[in-house]
Each structure stands twice: as structure tokens, then as C-alpha cells.
């Protein structure tokens, strides 16, 4: 049966369920009486929807609250254990896999370093290696928490690169900086039989999943528009606005900040990433005569660089002299970042710019004020006066949280009804090759 605007009764029911679930999730616990005003639904519609959701186990009682002159009102909340999500961050130094309940409480975590070791010395971004990490890590977090795979709402995956979609392969990753040329990641995961065919995958750019997390639960909450930037080995960004919800990944790290400048990992010259990414920062310090730590991961090396440039004083207030070379490189980087931020300000005029990623959080704590000052000097006066630049508040796990939000947001959009994708038959030859690769 159709109603106005071409919507069916089923559409209206789904929209009503979505409205109730979202308000309980973000603002709950709430009473049935309170749900009416915040959802715009009649008391009868609220009662019907709540009865359905309680019967399905999606909503549960959360105590009661006194009412004015009447019986206490029962409070309701979304049941945290009515569904589970996995969030994955395919980063540039490690693969992080986390299992969450519906309240986004972490239940289990696995990390797999991306490194070149062993007799084959394979590239750390080898697709087979990454898929093996995912297969083993997903199985491990489910086993640790004692959760059956069939109870998953889906697996969200943040990747370093542009994500396109095709009817045949699903999500296809174009990660130029890591050597992924049209990698059919979704098809490879389905063919590897990591999970039952009924469990959906949601694959998107890692900066976008970071942006999703900060806008839902972090420093972006309440903002109508924001640019959320991700600093790790490389640089990326997600722009959120009224016409770009739930956000759009932009390859901000490959904006040219210096004509005929340093060679970037993407092959071009002068990209922001070639000056501001953690990998480039350490290289620039070494080229200037500095002595970065060797034989350690990038996070440890960057921490040492920052400690050299900004040594902590001792109890008396004195301390060692700053490493002049490291300090000069970082001060120059602050100006490059300020110029890059000014482009975001001029192009998108966001209310907020939020800095995240493991490198961004380390760098931002030291010189975010300097970056902000440079951004104001390069940007147009009016939009610069109406933007606030802050650190993200969700820490280095924000990408995995945002990745887990992808299946959660889709679950809510469907009114709390699970998706049922068609199973994909594996390619036996591919499975054999991957198995052989994983044991070498």
C-alpha cells in the first residue's frame, strides 16, 4: 500500500523505527512519553514501535523516573547486547581489529603489525598478507568474546585510499600510496570465507570513518559542518556538511603546497603529505642532519623527534636544550599545515577543523596553536574568523570506532532490521593460493 510521496506503509514503519532507535541511542534512556516530542510521532505510533522493538530484544527497560502526579514512567534504552559490530583500521603501520557491542563498548581487540619479515620479505601492504591478518584477527576477537559470527550486524573497514564500488566486486580500493591498484577487497574477503555470507562488509576511506566517529561521539558533535583530518604515515581528510552527510573523503594530503617540491609517495611532487606525514617528517629530519631512531616503528620515532625538539623541563624548571634541527623541521611543518588548513577553510568554510590520527594527536599537542595562527594568516578573513581548530577527542582508536559505526548507521537506517546479502561462492584456486601465502 502506497501513501503520499510514493512511500509505502512499510517505509513509514521503517522510518518510525529508525527515529525511535536513534533518539534512544543518542539521548536515552527516555520514557515513551518523552519519545513523542523528540521523534515527532504520535503516542500511538511510539507505543506500537516500542512494543515491536522490545519484543525483538532491541530495546529494554532502564529503570523508571517519577512523573508529575502520576505513576512512575518506565525508561527505555537500546539493548547493548542485541547486536555486535567489528571495526577494522587497515593503517599504514598495522591492522587493528576491534569487536564492539551495540553501545560501542569494546569487547575484544587484535593488532597485527604490517612489517616485512620472514624468508619471503613480502611487501607489508601485500593484499594477501592483509587479508590473512583480517581473517585471523576477526576469528580471534569473536572467539575471545564468545560471540557467534551470525550475530554480527556487519564489519566496517577503514582503508588508506579511494573506495569505488562495482556491481561485480563491491568495494574496490585504489590506494596509490601503498601500491593498491583497483584491489577488489570486498570480493576477496567474501571469497576467503572469513564470515558467513549473510554478514555484510562496509569498506570506506579511513579518514571518513574517523570523521564519522568524531561527528557522532567526539569533538564534532553538534557541529553542522567540519573538516576532520587524519595524520599518520600519510595525510587524509573527511569533509562533513549539510550537503555531504555522512561525510566525503577528500585526498587533502595530495594537495600541492610547493611547486616542484619533494617527491610524494603517490609519485607527484610537492604534496602536503610529502611534508607533513609522519614518514616524510622523519625523512626531512634525517636530510637536515638529524638522527631519527632506527630499527623502531614510526610512532616511536616520531615520539623521539618531538621529545628532542620540545624537551620536558626537570623539577627545577630547567632542562636540555632543544634539538635545533628537529625544532626547525617541525616549525616549518606547522606552516605547511597552516597553509593546508587554509585551503580547507577557503574551500569548505567549516565550523570546525578536527585533528586526529596517531601522528596528528602527537603533533597537535605540541604546536596546534602555531598551525592555527598560520592557517589564519593564509585563509580568507571571514571564514577564518568562524572556524575552530581542535584536536579530536576519541584518540588513536577513532578509525576503528568510525568503521564500526558504518554497519551500525546502516542498521538504524533500516529500522533495526539486519541486511541479508547474497552469499558469494569462493574461488577455490584463490583460496588455495591465499592459504599457501599465509603459511610461508
Amino acid at each position: 500500500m502506497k501513501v503520499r510521496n510514493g512511500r509505502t506503509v512499510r517505509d513509514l514503519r521503517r522510518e518510525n523505527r529508525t527515529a525511535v532507535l536513534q533518539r534512544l541511542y543518542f539521548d536515552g534512556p527516555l520514557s515513551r512519553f518523552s519519545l513523542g516530542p523528540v521523534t515527532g510521532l504520535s503516542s500511538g505510533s511510539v507505543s506500537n514501535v516500542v512494543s515491536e522493538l522490545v519484543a525483538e530484544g532491541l530495546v529494554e527497560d532502564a529503570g523508571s523516573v517519577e512523573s508529575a502526579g502520576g505513576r512512575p514512567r518506565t525508561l527505555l534504552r537500546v539493548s547493548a547486547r542485541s547486536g555486535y559490530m567489528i571495526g577494522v583500521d587497515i593503517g599504514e603501520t598495522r591492522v587493528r581489529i576491534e569487536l564492539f557491542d551495540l553501545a560501542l563498548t569494546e569487547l575484544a581487540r587484535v593488532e597485527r603489525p604490517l612489517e616485512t619479515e620472514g624468508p619471503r620479505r613480502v611487501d607489508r601492504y601485500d593484499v594477501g598478507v592483509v587479508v590473512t591478518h583480517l581473517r585471523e584477527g576477526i576469528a580471534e576477537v569473536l572467539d575471545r568474546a564468545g560471540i557467534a559470527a551470525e550475530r554480527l550486524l556487519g564489519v566496517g573497514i577503514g582503508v588508506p585510499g579511494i573506495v569505488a564500488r562495482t556491481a561485480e566486486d563491491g568495494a574496490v580500493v585504489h590506494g596509490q600510496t601503498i601500491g593498491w591498484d583497483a584491489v577488489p577487497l570486498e570480493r576477496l574477503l567474501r571469497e576467503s570465507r572469513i564470515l558467513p555470507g549473510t554478514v555484510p562488509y562496509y569498506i570506506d576511506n579511513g579518514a571518513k570513518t574517523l570523521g564519522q566517529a568524531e561527528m557522532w561521539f567526539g569533538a564534532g558533535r553538534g557541529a553542522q559542518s567540519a573538516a576532520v583530518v587524519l595524520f599518520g604515515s600519510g595525510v587524509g581528510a573527511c569533509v562533513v556538511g549539510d550537503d555531504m552527510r555522512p561525510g566525503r573523503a577528500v585526498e587533502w594530503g595530495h594537495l600541492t603546497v610547493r611547486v616542484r617540491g619533494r617527491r610524494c609517495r603517490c609519485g607527484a611532487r610537492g604534496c602536503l603529505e610529502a611534508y607533513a606525514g609522519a614518514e616524510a617528517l622523519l625523512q626531512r629530519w634525517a636530510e637536515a642532519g638529524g638522527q631519527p631512531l632506527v630499527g623502531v616503528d614510526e610512532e616511536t620515532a616520531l615520539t623521539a623527534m618531538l621529545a628532542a625538539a620540545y624537551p620536558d623541563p626537570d623539577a627545577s624548571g630547567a632542562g636540555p636544550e632543544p634539538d635545533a634541527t628537529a625544532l626547525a623541521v617541525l616549525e616549518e611543518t606547522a606552516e605547511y599545515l597552516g597553509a593546508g588548513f587554509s585551503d580547507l577553510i577557503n574551500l569548505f568554510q567549516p565550523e570546525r577543523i578536527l585533528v586526529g590520527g596517531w601522528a596528528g594527536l602527537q603533533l597537535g599537542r605540541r604546536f596546534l596553536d602555531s598551525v592555527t595562527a598560520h592557517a589564519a594568516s593564509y585563509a580568507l578573513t571571514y571564514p577564518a574568523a568562524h572556524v575552530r581548530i581542535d584536536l579530536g577527542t576519541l584518540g588513536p582508536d577513532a578509525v576503528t570506532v568510525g568503521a564500526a559505526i558504518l554497519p551500525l548507521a546502516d542498521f538504524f537506517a533500516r529500522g533495526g532490521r539486519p541486511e541479508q546479502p547474497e552469499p558469494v561462492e569462493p574461488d577455490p584456486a584463490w583460496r588455495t593460493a591465499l592459504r599457501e601465502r599465509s603459511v610461508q
Side-chain angles (χ1 to χ4, degrees):
M1 176 181 174
K2 289 193 175 182
V3 295
R4 288 189 301 174
N5 301 323
R7 293 182 300 170
T8 66
V9 171
R10 178 178 293 181
D11 293 332
L12 291 176
R13 286 176 177 166
R14 183 186 66 248
E15 291 166 10
N16 291 348
R17 287 168 60 100
T18 295
V20 170
L21 282 171
Q22 288 181 334
R23 291 283 57 83
L24 287 176
Y25 193 78
F26 289 109
D27 303 326
L30 296 170
S31 68
R32 289 171 175 81
F33 179 81
S34 300
L35 278 168
V38 297
T39 61
L41 301 178
S42 68
S43 58
S45 294
V46 168
S47 180
N48 290 336
V49 169
V50 167
S51 295
E52 285 183 8
L53 296 174
V54 170
E56 294 168 17
L58 288 174
V59 168
E60 63 186 10
D61 288 353
S64 61
V65 63
E66 294 296 329
S67 63
R71 292 183 302 174
R73 293 193 177 111
T74 300
L75 296 175
L76 302 165
R77 66 186 173 201
V78 174
S79 175
R81 297 305 172 96
S82 60
Y84 301 88
M85 303 84 64
I86 286 178
V88 177
D89 176 11
I90 300 180
E92 296 176 310
T93 59
R94 62 169 58 86
V95 174
R96 178 181 287 131
I97 301 164
E98 296 181 59
L99 174 67
F100 300 91
D101 65 16
L102 216 62
L104 285 175
T105 301
E106 181 188 307
L107 304 178
R109 165 197 298 231
V110 167
E111 291 192 358
R112 295 283 189 268
L114 291 173
E115 54 193 9
T116 53
E117 61 180 14
R120 290 186 66 231
R121 302 293 294 177
V122 299
D123 181 84
R124 64 179 178 175
Y125 303 125
D126 181 277
V127 178
V129 171
V130 172
V131 172
T132 296
H133 286 327
L134 290 174
R135 181 182 62 195
E136 295 174 350
I138 289 172
E140 186 171 340
V141 294
L142 289 171
D143 183 64
R144 285 186 189 178
I147 303 299
E150 290 77 9
R151 299 197 65 191
L152 288 174
L153 302 181
V155 177
I157 304 174
V159 297
I162 297 170
V163 180
R165 286 171 175 80
T166 69
E168 180 181 357
D169 295 323
V172 178
V173 183
H174 301 266
Q176 191 165 323
T177 60
I178 62 171
W180 283 19
D181 181 16
V183 170
L185 184 60
E186 183 175 347
R187 176 170 61 80
L188 296 180
L189 292 173
R190 291 201 177 285
E191 289 178 348
S192 70
R193 289 284 189 167
I194 299 172
L195 293 167
T198 54
V199 177
Y201 292 95
Y202 301 82
I203 301 171
D204 218 323
N205 178 271
K208 183 176 176 181
T209 70
L210 169 69
Q212 179 99 63
E214 289 290 351
M215 296 303 289
W216 272 39
F217 300 110
R221 192 165 186 190
Q224 295 301 307
S225 62
V228 186
V229 298
L230 171 63
F231 289 95
S233 298
V235 178
C238 170
V239 179
V240 181
D242 289 337
D243 58 343
M244 290 177 287
R245 294 189 182 277
R248 185 180 72 208
V250 292
E251 291 297 329
W252 176 61
H254 301 288
L255 186 79
T256 302
V257 294
R258 187 166 182 173
V259 176
R260 293 186 295 275
R262 288 173 52 83
R263 180 77 67 181
C264 179
R265 296 184 303 170
C266 74
R269 287 189 177 275
C271 295
L272 177 62
E273 183 171 301
Y275 294 90
E279 181 179 291
L281 263 174
L282 295 168
Q283 290 173 354
R284 289 171 56 219
W285 186 26
E287 291 164 6
Q291 297 182 326
L293 294 180
V294 296
V296 298
D297 59 69
E298 282 181 2
E299 294 185 41
T300 303
L302 183 62
T303 300
M305 180 183 183
L306 289 166
Y310 306 101
D312 291 327
D314 56 28
S316 66
E321 289 294 316
D323 181 310
T325 304
L327 185 60
V329 169
L330 288 167
E331 288 178 344
E332 183 184 47
T333 300
E335 186 167 5
Y336 278 119
L337 286 175
F341 280 19
S342 74
D343 289 319
L344 292 174
I345 293 168
N346 290 342
L347 287 170
F348 302 108
Q349 300 179 29
E351 291 178 39
R352 301 175 197 175
I353 294 178
L354 306 175
V355 179
W358 64 266
L361 295 174
Q362 285 199 48
L363 294 169
R365 293 186 188 104
R366 291 294 188 176
F367 59 53
L368 190 61
D369 289 344
S370 178
V371 173
T372 301
H374 285 302
S377 70
Y378 282 106
L380 294 172
T381 303
Y382 181 79
H386 291 81
V387 68
R388 194 174 82 210
I389 301 176
D390 286 319
L391 292 179
T393 57
L394 297 182
D397 292 345
V399 172
T400 49
V401 172
I405 288 173
L406 296 176
L408 178 60
D410 188 58
F411 181 67
F412 283 164
R414 287 180 281 103
R417 300 190 188 281
E419 184 179 7
Q420 297 294 330
E422 292 294 325
V424 177
E425 289 300 319
D427 178 348
W430 184 89
R431 275 173 58 188
T432 301
L434 184 62
R435 189 182 304 113
E436 291 172 351
R437 180 193 298 275
S438 68
V439 299
Q440 288 179 328

